[in-house]
Amino acid sequence: MMLRPDLAIIADTVAAGSRVLDVGCGDGALMAALRDTKGVDARGLEIAADNVAAAVSRGLSVIQGDADTDLAAYPDASFDYAILSQTLQTARRPDVVFDHLLRIGRRAFVSFPNFAHWRVRASLLWGGRMPVTRLLPERWYDTPNIHHVTVDDFRAFVADRGIEVEGAWFLSGDRRTSSAAANFRAEHAVFLLRN
Amino acid sequence: MTSTDQRYGLARSVTLPGPLRLDGGVLLSPVDIAYETYGTLDPDGGNAILICHALTGDQHVASNHPVTGKPGWWTRMVGPGKPIDPARDFIVCANVLGSCMGSSGPASVNPATGRPWGMAFPVITIRDMVRTQAMLLDHLGVGILKSVVGGSMGGMQALSWPATFPDRVRAIVVIASTARHTAQNIAFHEVGRQAVMADPKWRGGDYYGIGGEATDPPAAGLAVARMAAHITYLSEAGLTEKFGRKLQARETKTFGFDADFQIESYLRHQGIAFVDRFDANSYLYITRAMDYFDLAEEHGGQLARAFRTSKARFCLVSFDTDWLYPTAESRAIVHALNAAGAPVSFVELSSPFGHDAFLLESPELNRVVDGFLKART
């Protein structure tokens, strides 16, 4: 099965046999891939009941819950990696979620759509309307994405916290794009962080 | 195992010599256990699933009830092609200690007196029920369970299993249940018990004949207890949808105390039907066992410690309209399991039917349980 490009990067990078918490794990596609290809002990947290049912029926350990409220229940450093893919921008308090992520996991993956991508900029600049793009397909009133973030915002955010960036990947469509112009050219970013 | 082995099959019972040391300190001996099994135990014994029933349930999980003639209480979950399948699993369901379908309880004969125990029967706990089940599994030759599955009070037993016998169970399914009874839970049970004990026919629990049969039991009190409890199994939305304020077989109100409203005659019917199949003293003992249940308290006040030595996988399910054991109770268990590092899945399913949802048709529940039980361990 083909993984979403950002998930494929994470799946490639996670060490075999490690313990992983996937926050906002959806139907468990990444967890199943990590388990089946790398023998990873994967646990998930997911808000939508139908996604949880799908993941559990794949034999995965997934808890229905809300990243904004439930991460506090996880002990410190209980996972090798905590993963937050395309979920940061939907959190009520992304900073609190992020802090929990690096508390629970020794390392954290964070992936998010880049709100500074040129297509988003052009849409707002020339159209004067809230952008609706492939990675941000919802309209302003029904979007789950309530805290839009850009690559440069995120870089500043982790720098402020003194977090070490171990890896960063930038995607335009399914293709990698360079780090230098990432804030303008990347549709999507994946960061690997450690305390 | 062969089909002629009298330990296996429907409507079995066994008298084990005991003694069984109860949480209350009493040694119980002998111990009768009534049970049913479905399917065949694998030579390596690895396919046994124990099903734990709820307060007024029984061992007839997938066979017709001998009194009511109705199909087993969980044929939606247990049967050919169902998540718990006798073609694949060796399924065991036992009548809990203290109940009235053949296991030792207040209607059983006290060997010391030759008369039914009545209220002299020792007070039991959920953990005592679990110990009885373990005795039965010893008798059946089942060492380690593939899974324990239970809803409501059955879920309390399922949770007690890894805490009491951590080496004997690999997977736990807990549906619409809790790790402890709340003040509200205890309050509703107390209403039921007081209704039974206020019935003049209760006679201090001594209403049995010599053999344990009761010709004139405290049926009115038990029916009221069941009516009150039944309300807690439903949701307001479900009641409103089904009954609303509709009148029963009449056009206008009678301005009296007949069952004018459909909900009244429904509850009366539930209460009357219940006394035909259940013993009032068993109702007292089992509700007491549930009220005493507090798994954290048994482990130094920390629920996570109950699961410290368990290597089992866990799956918890709650229903959004269940106000008897609401989702928050399941979440508390999930957090404790996380703290203990146990592999745990949890989902809150949507249903209009309140606590009773776990007994009703629910494709989502079946999908979750099926996936969980089939997962590689």
Side-chain angles (χ1 to χ4, degrees):
Chain A
M1 190 182 56
M2 281 288 289
L3 281 176
R4 221 170 58 201
D6 62 316
L7 299 182
I9 289 168
I10 296 170
D12 282 347
T13 313
V14 165
S18 53
R19 282 174 53 78
V20 167
L21 177 66
D22 189 354
V23 180
C25 65
D27 65 2
L30 173 63
M31 293 172 65
L34 288 171
R35 175 190 65 186
D36 298 342
T37 63
K38 294 195 156 175
V40 162
D41 179 1
R43 312 289 173 85
L45 182 71
E46 166 61 31
I47 200 162
D50 54 341
N51 274 339
V52 178
V56 174
S57 64
R58 289 172 126 149
L60 298 165
S61 294
V62 175
I63 291 167
Q64 187 186 18
D66 186 340
D68 269 309
T69 52
D70 292 1
L71 288 176
Y74 288 82
D76 291 358
S78 43
F79 292 90
D80 298 310
Y81 302 91
I83 297 170
L84 193 70
S85 60
Q86 297 205 1
T87 302
L88 189 69
Q89 75 279 2
T90 68
R92 283 191 296 280
R93 285 295 302 270
D95 54 336
V96 176
V97 170
F98 179 86
D99 288 345
H100 277 305
L101 217 59
L102 270 171
R103 179 186 64 76
I104 296 165
R106 279 179 253 282
R107 288 180 170 80
F109 280 101
V110 177
S111 90
F112 56 88
N114 173 28
F115 204 66
H117 182 245
W118 64 266
R119 235 189 274 276
V120 176
R121 296 190 196 197
S123 171
L124 191 56
L125 182 62
W126 303 114
R129 309 271 302 267
M130 281 303 280
V132 177
T133 67
R134 198 166 54 85
L135 284 171
L136 298 164
E138 296 89 359
R139 283 164 295 186
W140 63 271
Y141 51 85
D142 63 355
T143 180
N145 304 317
I146 54 177
H147 284 108
H148 290 298
V149 58
T150 74
V151 167
D152 283 355
D153 281 331
F154 192 76
R155 282 173 168 153
F157 175 75
V158 296
D160 281 351
R161 284 174 150 67
I163 305 292
E164 181 188 336
V165 177
E166 270 197 6
W169 298 261
F170 303 99
L171 291 159
S172 181
D174 295 350
R175 295 232 294 273
R176 297 273 184 86
T177 182
S178 77
S179 174
N183 201 44
F184 187 73
R185 295 186 50 188
E187 279 181 284
H188 203 120
V190 182
F191 282 87
L192 173 59
L193 310 153
R194 71 178 300 171
N195 256 323
Chain B
M1 175 197 128
T2 67
S3 57
T4 58
D5 191 325
Q6 286 303 302
R7 292 177 297 172
Y8 303 102
L10 298 174
R12 293 291 189 276
S13 80
V14 59
T15 301
L16 297 173
L20 174 66
R21 180 172 284 283
L22 302 174
D23 275 335
V26 175
L27 291 174
L28 187 65
S29 167
V31 182
D32 296 331
I33 308 169
Y35 63 97
E36 295 200 339
T37 72
Y38 314 78
T40 307
L41 185 63
D42 280 351
D44 69 357
N47 67 330
I49 294 182
L50 176 69
I51 297 175
C52 303
H53 68 71
L55 165 56
T56 65
D58 51 59
Q59 65 274 37
H60 308 290
V61 57
S63 70
N64 288 352
H65 193 283
V67 177
T68 65
K70 287 183 180 167
W73 55 269
W74 223 12
T75 50
R76 291 173 176 88
M77 185 64 70
V78 182
K82 301 292 167 61
I84 302 171
D85 189 339
R88 178 179 59 237
D89 306 312
F90 176 63
I91 303 158
V92 181
C93 185
N95 190 221
V96 296
L97 185 68
S99 194
C100 52
M101 292 297 291
S103 292
S104 290
S108 309
V109 171
N110 178 355
T113 64
R115 288 186 37 79
W117 283 96
M119 297 308 282
F121 192 74
V123 168
I124 49 156
T125 65
I126 296 291
R127 189 158 54 178
D128 293 333
M129 296 175 184
V130 166
R131 292 190 182 107
T132 316
Q133 290 159 350
M135 286 172 71
L136 173 65
L137 295 177
D138 292 341
H139 168 73
L140 295 174
V142 175
I144 295 171
L145 287 163
K146 174 186 169 189
S147 184
V148 177
V149 183
S152 194
M153 185 184 84
M156 299 177 197
Q157 297 159 53
L159 273 178
S160 278
W161 256 94
T164 313
F165 301 103
D167 301 326
R168 285 191 78 166
V169 57
R170 293 204 178 96
I172 324 284
V173 180
V174 178
I175 304 166
S177 191
T178 180
R180 73 188 192 330
H181 245 212
T182 63
Q184 181 177 267
N185 296 145
I186 297 168
F188 276 110
H189 274 174
E190 177 62 1
V191 170
R193 283 190 296 264
Q194 289 301 324
V196 168
M197 294 191 279
D199 189 327
K201 291 179 178 173
W202 180 61
R203 299 188 192 98
D206 189 16
Y207 53 83
Y208 304 110
I210 295 297
E213 77 289 352
T215 51
D216 195 16
L222 183 59
V224 172
R226 178 63 168 183
M227 288 169 72
H230 202 85
I231 299 167
T232 70
Y233 305 152
L234 310 172
S235 73
E236 199 206 335
L239 280 175
T240 301
E241 186 188 333
K242 193 169 175 186
F243 304 106
R245 293 182 52 85
K246 283 182 289 210
L247 301 181
Q248 175 74 29
R250 66 198 64 189
E251 297 296 318
T252 57
K253 293 165 198 161
T254 62
F255 293 95
F257 294 97
D258 283 352
D260 277 6
F261 294 102
Q262 284 186 5
I263 180 61
E264 293 174 313
S265 63
Y266 171 78
L267 281 182
R268 289 182 188 190
H269 169 76
Q270 292 294 335
I272 290 163
F274 181 59
V275 301
D276 290 338
R277 68 175 180 88
F278 215 81
D279 177 53
N281 284 343
S282 279
Y283 195 84
L284 302 181
Y285 276 88
I286 300 175
T287 56
R288 202 72 190 130
M290 295 169 78
D291 290 349
Y292 280 148
F293 184 60
D294 183 345
L295 193 55
E297 184 189 65
E298 292 170 15
H299 295 86
Q302 259 197 314
L303 189 54
R305 286 179 58 184
F307 311 115
R308 200 171 35 180
T309 51
S310 162
K311 291 187 175 59
R313 301 182 299 127
F314 291 78
C315 179
L316 284 94
V317 181
S318 70
F319 292 93
D320 58 356
T321 52
D322 182 352
W323 57 276
L324 187 64
Y325 304 128
T327 292
E329 301 288 333
S330 291
R331 279 196 189 284
I333 300 166
V334 168
H335 290 161
L337 286 164
N338 267 332
V344 52
S345 291
F346 163 69
V347 63
E348 178 190 59
L349 299 178
S350 191
S351 164
F353 301 115
H355 182 64
D356 258 357
F358 84 96
L359 294 168
L360 304 172
E361 196 69 46
S362 171
E364 282 290 273
L365 176 62
N366 281 31
R367 182 179 171 214
V368 168
V369 173
D370 190 55
F372 176 76
L373 290 179
K374 282 191 182 140
R376 295 170 304 172
T377 50

